[in-house]
Amino acid sequence: MSFISYFVNGLSLGSVYALIALGYTMVYGIAKMLNFAHGDIIMVGGFVIFTAMSTLSMPPIVAVLMAIVVCTVLGVVIEKVAYRPLRNASSISVLITAIGVSYLLQNLAQLIFGTGSRNFQSVVSVPAWRINDKLTISGETIVTIIVTTIIMIGLTLFINKTKTGRAMLAVSEDRGAAQLMGINVNRTISITFAIGSALAAVAGALLCSSYPQIGAYTGQMPGIKAFVAAVFGGIGSVPGAMIGGVALGVIENLSKAYISSQLADAIVFAVLIIILLIKPTGLLGRKMNEKV
């Protein structure tokens, strides 16, 4: 397989990481909390699609839309029940709660679907693109890159051009001042969780289509790597999440191809450490001056 093929597959994997990282970076940028259950929402979305297609015989597009709705509602419920009461609590309390929610979702998935993995039917019906005898790009790769690009453009326009998006920016900058200006902070944060969870559902569909297995721990490692991508790009920065996710996917895929598949994860985390040593705020992150 040629370098171009490895690179394109890395772009595809990185695009999935970018979608997941957007959820992390939006929630952190606006609510200043890390939702470590975010990766497990990917798993929930995957199981919704799996059930809708295998048990209910729904078309792929309907199954994906159902997963988006379920994950969106789940994200809002998690924010309201688990995170909203802790909004003024210490960071460690929020972190422990997020880990608890993560384990809750994983164990519920095991109770319902069992501990093993299931074969996942791809939701992508686009044929592979054959360039020459040595280079073939799968339909899943093509769709993943295109969908991620469209979502990034749409999300950027939404944040910068709509009233709700500007409210998100205001809450991110100063929650107290935004509330004094009449912005409903609770509603804005709930919308942020809803968008992040919807993106997680899309990421779950694309991830499970490219790697056709679904299990209770499907979202665990992609969630961790997406968090790394968000920190890599500068957590709180939407463009940073995109750049960090794509860069991480390319680095991981090339490391597996040319160095060692066993050392690929270690190389990814080593690159993160080097970046943070050089630029602690990440590639596009900005230093926040704390007012006293």
Side-chain angles (χ1 to χ4, degrees):
M1 190 179 290
S2 66
F3 171 82
I4 296 176
S5 182
Y6 288 124
F7 182 79
V8 171
N9 289 334
L11 287 179
S12 175
L13 179 62
S15 297
V16 175
Y17 288 158
L19 283 177
I20 308 169
L22 281 172
Y24 279 116
T25 205
M26 286 183 67
V27 170
Y28 180 82
I30 293 172
K32 296 298 183 287
M33 63 176 62
L34 293 172
N35 179 21
F36 277 112
H38 190 67
D40 297 291
I41 297 177
I42 299 168
M43 173 268 295
V44 172
F47 269 122
V48 170
I49 296 171
F50 171 81
T51 303
M53 292 179 65
S54 63
T55 304
L56 304 177
S57 300
M58 290 185 175
I61 184 65
V62 177
V64 173
L65 291 175
M66 180 181 290
I68 292 173
V69 171
V70 171
C71 289
T72 299
V73 173
L74 178 63
V76 172
V77 170
I78 289 174
E79 187 277 327
K80 187 174 182 178
V81 174
Y83 297 143
R84 188 176 297 182
L86 299 175
R87 194 163 293 166
N88 297 318
S90 63
S91 299
I92 190 69
S93 299
V94 178
L95 179 62
I96 292 171
T97 301
I99 294 172
V101 173
S102 174
Y103 280 118
L104 173 64
L105 293 176
Q106 290 174 10
N107 281 276
L108 285 175
Q110 287 181 335
L111 287 172
I112 297 171
F113 298 100
T115 57
S117 296
R118 307 288 188 91
N119 292 325
F120 187 92
Q121 181 183 347
S122 176
V123 299
V124 177
S125 57
V126 176
W129 184 21
R130 189 179 183 87
I131 298 176
N132 52 44
D133 293 337
K134 295 183 178 180
L135 180 58
T136 302
I137 302 174
S138 68
E140 286 79 9
T141 297
I142 296 169
V143 170
T144 299
I145 294 173
I146 292 174
V147 167
T148 303
T149 303
I150 292 172
I151 288 175
M152 269 302 306
I153 295 172
L155 189 60
T156 301
L157 292 174
F158 172 79
I159 291 174
N160 293 316
K161 301 295 184 182
T162 67
K163 183 178 179 180
T164 303
R166 289 193 291 269
M168 289 179 178
L169 293 175
V171 172
S172 173
E173 192 69 28
D174 192 321
R175 191 186 303 172
Q179 194 164 10
L180 289 173
M181 293 299 292
I183 294 173
N184 189 327
V185 174
N186 287 334
R187 178 176 173 272
T188 302
I189 292 177
S190 292
I191 291 174
T192 304
F193 269 85
I195 293 173
S197 299
L199 294 179
V202 176
L206 296 173
L207 177 67
C208 293
S209 294
S210 297
Y211 305 90
Q213 294 286 323
I214 179 70
Y217 299 102
T218 293
Q220 190 173 54
M221 186 53 73
I224 292 173
K225 290 180 179 178
F227 173 68
V228 171
V231 175
F232 189 0
I235 194 161
S237 168
V238 171
M242 181 68 177
I243 294 173
V246 171
L248 203 73
V250 171
I251 292 170
E252 179 181 337
N253 228 43
L254 293 180
S255 298
K256 287 179 179 178
Y258 295 107
I259 301 177
S260 168
S261 60
Q262 296 178 337
L263 293 176
D265 291 345
I267 292 170
V268 165
F269 289 108
V271 170
L272 172 68
I273 293 171
I274 293 170
I275 291 293
L276 293 181
L277 287 173
I278 298 172
K279 197 173 187 298
T281 56
L283 294 177
L284 298 184
R286 56 192 179 94
K287 186 177 180 181
M288 299 296 292
N289 295 319
E290 190 171 337
K291 298 177 181 179
V292 295

